[in-house]
Amino acid sequence: NRLRELGPGLARAAPQLQELLLSGNRLRALPGGLLPPAGPPAPFPLLSRLDAADNEVAELGADIAALPALKSLDVANNQLRELPAALADCPRLKEANFRGNQLKDKRLEKMVNGCQTKAILEYLRAGGRGKGKAENAREEVRKKKREKQQKKDSGDGEQDEVEEASKLLVKILHVSENPAPLVVKVSPGVKDVRAFIVCCVLKGVNLKPGNALKRFLSMQTKLHEDICEKRTVATIATHDLQLVKAPLTYDVQPPDELKIMPLGRKEIKAKDLLRQLQQEAEEQRKQKKRQNVSGLHRYLQLLDGKDSYPCLVDAEGAVISFPPITNSEKTKIRKETRDLFLEVTSDTSLQICKDVMDTLILKIAELNRSALENKEGSGSDMESDGPGNLNLPLVLEQVRVVDTDGSLKVLYPSKTDLATVSSLLTVIR
């Protein structure tokens, strides 16, 4: 329609409203007059979705935080110049689309085009204009350097040097220094299915001691739940590098052609695997008499409506990864695994892939060091890893992702990657 404004009458007439779809109008302010004067009861206590894309909104008021149930906000393609810090006070806001606005804060403008809603809200909560998480982290590093120098000047630098020595170490092996760098070729078809992929190789992990492997797998599950938002924004795959047959191709295949040997299962076509998982999910629901299901069954809906499925294929034509559902038994990680091939895919943004990969490398480094420090095992393997080896860095090899013509699409880690974990990880570049 051509609505220019909304009045408070809607709050009185439809107090139980759950979704309000206003896109394609000429609204200039939001919430504008939609909310009646403050005072109990709160207006729209159940409103969880507010869609006002493609309007003329130039002002997003701080009173947006007065919507207690708001989960999804879409104000894409408007005329906003600023975003209010009050957005960070929306208690349930999980999804927000601010794309297509000419924001004055150019860093924030980049974030709205590539970052998760959570990161944007954190940035606004911290005051914006360069005061986001990354800037705070850099300021923290500068502060520590100043304190270190002060201690050194006063003769108390010895303890600080001990702390520095105990930091987690990762050394980057650049493509130019690597005699056999791994390359992943991307097929054009992935663009419309699951466009983004970031890969790297991490060498020198130790999964033998005690329950190190179990903790490694638990860590991956937790990242899928948290930073990957239940695999809806990104999916992690970890492989035993020795079992990966390069070169690799990131491709798409029809459901009735894609074959994979899923973890702990026999080789099966993708469409049959999904049907099998769906049946298992129904069985679980009946047995446990509840709606929620566990394991791979929770992610089946992420492929709904797709004519082709994404997959990572090795040199022998075998599918070693079928995101966001499962890896292959062929490249399964075992206690004996020392070198990892890591992969993060997303249909949301490249930056999300990089942020997840940064965190994954940090968590693996923490687990690796913990296993060595606690000496959770015994035998020749542990004896050969003497105390002096605790400070040996893990080696992180760059992996190039190229298109079918060989042109570079992504190199990870680049000079700017791993900045988000720089305060916890010492990267030798």
Side-chain angles (χ1 to χ4, degrees):
N1 291 292
R2 297 183 179 182
L3 296 173
R4 291 189 178 276
E5 60 184 27
L6 293 167
L10 187 60
R12 293 189 292 269
Q16 303 302 305
L17 195 66
Q18 297 179 34
E19 294 188 357
L20 183 54
L21 312 181
L22 301 167
S23 61
N25 279 284
R26 295 183 179 179
L27 299 175
R28 294 175 180 173
L30 199 73
L34 183 65
L35 300 180
F44 302 117
L46 303 180
L47 185 64
S48 62
R49 179 184 173 193
L50 178 54
D51 184 347
D54 302 297
N55 275 274
E56 299 171 7
V57 177
E59 179 191 345
L60 187 59
D63 45 350
I64 193 80
L67 297 171
L70 188 64
K71 292 182 181 179
S72 175
L73 173 66
D74 190 345
V75 285
N77 304 319
N78 276 284
Q79 297 172 13
L80 292 171
R81 300 286 288 158
E82 294 181 341
L83 297 180
L87 277 169
D89 298 325
C90 291
R92 299 195 175 190
L93 189 59
K94 299 292 182 189
E95 298 176 10
N97 185 2
F98 306 112
R99 295 183 181 90
N101 288 285
Q102 300 295 316
L103 300 175
K104 286 194 291 187
D105 185 340
K106 293 306 172 187
R107 181 173 174 189
L108 180 58
E109 190 169 33
K110 285 183 180 179
M111 290 181 73
V112 304
N113 288 322
C115 291
Q116 300 173 40
T117 300
K118 185 178 179 182
I120 296 168
L121 297 182
E122 286 289 345
Y123 183 80
L124 293 172
R125 184 177 286 112
R129 301 296 294 174
K131 295 288 193 285
K133 269 186 170 180
E135 184 62 32
N136 288 341
R138 284 195 287 272
E139 180 57 38
E140 193 66 27
V141 170
R142 288 195 287 267
K143 182 181 176 183
K144 285 182 179 178
K145 282 184 179 178
R146 289 196 297 270
E147 290 174 354
K148 181 179 176 181
Q149 188 60 45
Q150 288 169 359
K151 285 181 181 179
K152 198 171 182 180
D153 293 342
S154 63
D156 292 333
E158 201 170 303
Q159 178 63 32
D160 207 65
E161 286 175 16
V162 173
E163 289 176 10
E164 189 65 28
S166 69
K167 255 191 172 186
L168 301 164
L169 299 175
V170 171
K171 184 182 189 309
I172 294 177
L173 180 65
H174 297 266
V175 168
S176 57
E177 304 164 341
N178 192 343
L182 202 150
V183 177
V184 176
K185 186 177 287 187
V186 175
S187 298
V190 303
K191 183 180 179 183
D192 300 320
V193 178
R194 196 175 184 84
F196 307 103
I197 183 169
V198 167
C199 304
C200 65
V201 167
L202 190 63
K203 291 186 171 180
V205 300
N206 189 348
L207 299 173
K208 281 190 176 182
N211 64 353
L213 177 59
K214 184 178 179 181
R215 289 170 61 200
F216 175 87
L217 298 174
S218 297
M219 170 272 295
Q220 193 171 324
T221 300
K222 191 170 190 306
L223 289 181
H224 271 144
E225 289 293 307
D226 298 340
I227 191 171
C228 296
E229 297 183 18
K230 294 183 170 62
R231 302 198 193 187
T232 56
V233 297
T235 305
I236 297 164
T238 54
H239 309 266
D240 185 327
L241 180 67
Q242 303 305 316
L243 304 174
V244 173
K245 307 297 181 186
L248 300 172
T249 303
Y250 184 46
D251 200 1
V252 290
Q253 295 182 15
D256 57 349
E257 291 181 19
L258 193 160
K259 287 183 179 179
I260 186 171
M261 186 184 292
L263 292 169
R265 297 171 186 254
K266 295 179 181 178
E267 187 177 64
I268 189 171
K269 288 182 179 179
K271 68 171 186 177
D272 295 330
L273 173 63
L274 264 61
R275 189 184 301 120
Q276 195 178 94
L277 291 171
Q278 194 65 55
Q279 289 171 352
E280 290 174 8
E282 290 302 321
E283 291 285 329
Q284 277 191 28
R285 286 195 188 100
K286 288 176 183 175
Q287 288 175 9
K288 298 182 179 180
K289 296 181 180 178
R290 62 186 187 192
Q291 274 307 110
N292 295 332
V293 290
S294 59
L296 301 178
H297 314 90
R298 292 177 295 167
Y299 310 119
L300 300 181
Q301 78 280 1
L302 299 178
L303 291 173
D304 285 351
K306 297 194 184 298
D307 297 324
S308 295
Y309 293 160
C311 56
L312 193 63
V313 184
D314 71 6
E316 297 175 342
V319 173
I320 64 170
S321 176
F322 171 27
I325 303 299
T326 184
N327 293 7
S328 169
E329 185 74 20
K330 183 178 180 181
T331 56
K332 181 180 177 179
I333 290 175
R334 298 167 174 79
K335 272 183 172 286
E336 295 73 32
T337 301
R338 295 285 294 177
D339 303 331
L340 305 174
F341 173 65
L342 308 176
E343 156 212 343
V344 177
T345 60
S346 172
D347 61 1
T348 305
S349 81
L350 180 63
Q351 190 58 51
I352 285 172
C353 288
K354 291 188 168 196
D355 291 345
V356 171
M357 186 68 86
D358 287 356
T359 306
L360 176 62
I361 289 166
L362 171 65
K363 294 300 180 185
I364 293 173
E366 288 175 345
L367 287 175
N368 202 54
R369 184 170 185 82
S370 174
L372 291 171
E373 281 180 338
N374 296 334
K375 297 181 180 178
E376 296 176 352
S378 59
S380 59
D381 289 303
M382 288 308 296
E383 287 164 14
S384 64
D385 291 332
N389 281 351
L390 285 178
N391 284 330
L392 282 179
L394 292 167
V395 176
L396 180 60
E397 294 186 4
Q398 288 181 320
V399 169
R400 296 170 69 239
V401 175
V402 301
D403 62 20
T404 48
D405 297 325
S407 301
L408 183 66
K409 290 175 69 70
V410 188
L411 175 69
Y412 184 92
S414 67
K415 291 180 182 178
T416 56
D417 294 324
L418 297 166
T420 55
V421 294
S422 60
S423 60
L424 302 169
L425 195 68
T426 298
V427 182
I428 306 167
R429 299 184 187 270

